[in-house]
Amino acid sequence: MGPGTEERECKSGHVDTPALTLNDGHEIPQLGFGVFQIPPAETAHAVREALAVGYRHIDTAQMYGNEGGVGQAVRESGLDRSEVFITSKLNNDNHRRADARRSFAETLELLGTDHVDLFLIHWPLPTRYDGDFVSTWQALVELRDEGRARSIGVSNFQPAHLDRLAAASGVLPAVNQIEVHPFFGNRAVRAVSAAAGILTEAWSPIAKGQVAQDATIREIATSLGRTPAQVTLRWHLQHGHIVFPKTTKAERMRENADVFDFALSADDMATIDGLDRGAEGRLGPDPDTFDRIG
Ligand code: NDP
């Protein structure tokens, strides 16, 4: 069986989350909790609630400024470090090797841990650093070899960027974290990743809440006695994506995690696939041109 095809149930709190197998042999809970745009002062509280609900996978980033809150919540949860899968990402101003190593040490310090489970290059920035994201990737390979990042991956990488990493370093990312939701299928990137054994992590999985207003998704949700967010998360899970919806509300944390006891039919999957608006459906920046540093 290829990477990601082997699923097993891992009992975690109140949520039985399937784990997918990465191309380096490590496992990742398919559902997690994202903390983008949660203010630093509120992050510990939100993550504490998410852990209490049963989430065991937290997605943060140096850019979010809230790694300290994530670390505090994990420490105070009483859970063993090994029970929580933590991802962070390299900030755009830290792409040079020395900056990557220094900032990674700060990430571990803020998280209060001696390793992260997954560390990603947040953006490829093809128009910065003389277009060199390969040496940044090699810095992440070093962190992996030192055991301080169990798995390494990328975010917002386009097919050409993935090809270049593979050719230049021979080390494939374990995941590519990209924008995917019903209105932006990002199909070419998903297809290239799947062919290479790189799992897709879908960011903004519920289109920043916009799926709740979509008539088609609402109709499917009503027919199943579910909510639009649940139907959309189920669509991702059945496509094999890893997801980490963000919310600061405990009720929605429970709603978003309650997605493992129903399934969408092939027809419903195809109907949601059909909502893809291509590039017009993008909510975030285009990785080929995005160049914000700092
Ligand atoms: P999401 O698709 O997760 O949507 C979050 C929004 O939806 C919030 O406004 C939230 O509001 C609302 N919401 C949450 N649950 C529900 C629900 N059940 N019904 C209706 N509305 C709901 O968007 P994000 O952009 O936050 O993406 C998720 C995660 O992906 C991030 O937290 C981050 O970890 C990652 N990410 C990564 C990026 C990258 O470049 N690598 C870029 C963007 C995100 P409220 O909080 O009020 O409930």
Side-chain angles (χ1 to χ4, degrees):
M1 288 177 113
T5 53
E6 211 175 295
E7 287 191 10
R8 76 177 173 81
E9 296 290 309
C10 57
K11 292 264 176 213
S12 54
H14 316 291
V15 186
D16 290 339
T17 303
L20 300 185
T21 304
L22 301 167
N23 60 16
D24 61 10
H26 290 297
E27 292 193 335
I28 183 168
Q30 197 177 0
L31 175 79
F33 181 70
V35 297
F36 177 43
Q37 291 174 327
I38 301 183
E42 294 165 32
T43 301
H45 176 73
V47 174
R48 240 187 334 260
E49 286 201 313
L51 293 171
V53 165
Y55 290 86
R56 293 294 181 269
H57 168 179
I58 311 294
D59 184 87
T60 183
Q62 294 176 346
M63 195 185 286
Y64 305 166
N66 57 16
E67 291 167 307
V70 173
Q72 185 188 339
V74 172
R75 269 195 311 284
E76 292 174 358
S77 69
L79 292 164
D80 192 80
R81 171 68 186 86
S82 64
E83 294 179 76
V84 186
F85 189 103
I86 304 177
T87 299
S88 192
K89 316 183 193 85
L90 186 75
N91 206 356
N92 291 346
D93 44 9
N94 291 325
H95 273 215
R96 291 201 178 83
R97 179 177 176 274
D99 294 328
R101 293 188 65 80
R102 175 194 44 76
S103 68
F104 181 75
E106 287 165 12
T107 284
L108 293 187
E109 181 80 29
L110 286 164
L111 290 168
T113 179
D114 63 359
H115 71 280
V116 290
D117 297 280
L118 180 61
F119 196 60
L120 312 179
I121 301 180
H122 206 147
W123 290 90
L125 304 175
T127 62
R128 295 273 186 182
Y129 301 102
D130 299 321
D132 173 24
F133 46 74
V134 171
S135 64
T136 310
W137 178 242
Q138 277 155 346
L140 265 64
V141 173
E142 279 178 31
L143 298 172
R144 185 201 62 178
D145 290 348
E146 292 162 9
R148 297 198 291 158
R150 291 269 161 88
S151 297
I152 51 173
V154 294
S155 178
N156 300 302
F157 272 47
Q158 302 281 59
H161 306 145
L162 295 173
D163 286 348
R164 198 160 134 217
L165 277 196
S169 77
V171 181
L172 282 176
V175 304
N176 189 16
Q177 183 177 128
I178 54 171
E179 180 177 349
V180 186
H181 45 75
F183 314 127
F184 181 55
N186 216 344
R187 291 174 193 222
V189 184
R190 281 162 57 201
V192 165
S193 299
I198 300 167
L199 294 188
T200 291
E201 296 194 323
W203 64 251
S204 295
I206 54 172
K208 296 199 174 286
Q210 290 178 23
V211 297
Q213 280 81 53
D214 183 86
T216 304
I217 296 176
R218 286 167 68 107
E219 196 177 313
I220 294 172
T222 302
S223 75
L224 294 170
R226 295 283 168 162
T227 68
Q230 289 174 324
V231 162
T232 305
L233 292 168
R234 193 65 221 175
W235 173 80
H236 283 289
L237 295 171
Q238 289 180 214
H239 270 307
H241 304 159
I242 298 156
V243 280
F244 21 80
K246 170 265 174 186
T247 178
T248 50
K249 301 177 177 68
E251 191 47 50
R252 284 179 171 174
M253 291 177 195
R254 281 189 285 275
E255 175 188 334
N256 295 344
D258 185 13
V259 289
F260 296 106
D261 62 349
F262 75 107
L264 298 181
S265 67
D267 280 354
D268 286 344
M269 289 293 288
T271 300
I272 299 173
D273 286 340
L275 299 176
D276 187 359
R277 297 180 202 142
E280 281 183 14
R282 251 192 216 286
L283 298 176
D286 182 339
D288 281 322
T289 52
F290 184 66
D291 66 352
R292 197 168 68 224
I293 291 187

